[in-house]
Amino acid sequence: MGVIASNLGVFGNGFLVSLEISGCTFALAGLLGLLLAVFRISPVVPLRLFGRLYVSAVRGVPLLVLLTLFVFGLPEVGLVYSLFWTAVTAMSLYWAAFFCEAIRSGVRTVPRGQIEAGRALGLTFGQILRLIVLPQAVRSMIQPLASLLIALTLNSSLAAAVGVTQELTGQTALLDQRYAQPLLVFGAAAACYVAFTLAIGRLAAVLERRLVVLR
């Protein structure tokens, strides 16, 4: 345990970088996913086709392959960013496809009669989404979105494989090389991930209960 105690700062800094990657990815993927979901349910046929093709294509590519493509492929075409933001961009584009489907499934829980009522009142497509559909769909999205946040947080460890060694898994691997105690150091890293995922699950449950009360 002396190894853990003497390297708490390393674990803490690595965990913070993992949280930064996860937070940035969650925000960007959420926005892109919402846009894709709007495309998927849009009355405009080209937008619907684009959304469907994007989701189908991206979900068929392993995340590590996409990360490798971005990290090593973008410099070949003259696009050079920091490894951190390259990884966040690749992960955001990947997880946006899954956010799209989670949001779309939430939208489908809204009774179609309410949508038809909005149309009868002369509301535009955007107004129906903003005033009728999304406010009601939010509650059913909480658990799926929490699950996606957990998944993308765990998969943020793949950033270490493409050079973002500042995050938790990368720092843990460096500590293992130094101390040759893989069970100890990776066990500590696993405990950090477990604690965070449990916190997300708890927060999602609280939010869901509060929305029930508000309704």
Side-chain angles (χ1 to χ4, degrees), residues 5-43:
S6 60
N7 289 280
L8 287 177
V10 175
F11 281 103
N13 291 333
F15 189 53
L16 285 177
V17 173
S18 293
L19 292 184
E20 289 176 3
I21 294 174
S22 302
C24 292
T25 300
F26 185 80
L28 292 174
L31 290 174
L32 291 173
L34 177 60
L35 181 61
L36 286 170
V38 172
F39 284 179
R40 291 293 307 269
I41 63 177
S42 170

Side-chain angles (χ1 to χ4, degrees), residues 3 7 17 24 45 51 66 72 81 88 94 96 103-105 133 153 159 164 171-172 196 205 212:
V3 173
N7 289 280
V17 173
C24 292
V45 175
L66 193 61
F72 298 103
Y81 303 97
V88 167
Y94 176 82
I103 295 170
R104 192 166 71 96
S105 65
V133 176
T153 299
V164 189
Q171 290 297 298
T172 304
F196 185 65
V212 170

Side-chain angles (χ1 to χ4, degrees), residues 151-186:
L152 73 84
T153 299
L154 297 179
N155 280 272
S156 68
S157 60
L158 292 176
V162 292
V164 189
T165 56
Q166 298 89 347
E167 62 86 47
L168 181 58
T169 301
Q171 290 297 298
T172 304
L174 293 176
L175 288 176
D176 179 44
Q177 292 175 13
R178 186 186 309 171
Y179 296 102
Q181 296 190 39
L183 291 178
L184 187 60
V185 294
F186 279 102

Side-chain angles (χ1 to χ4, degrees), residues 39-40 42 44-56:
F39 284 179
R40 291 293 307 269
S42 170
V44 182
V45 175
L47 293 180
R48 286 207 311 271
L49 289 176
F50 173 80
R52 184 183 304 171
L53 288 173
Y54 183 93
V55 170
S56 299

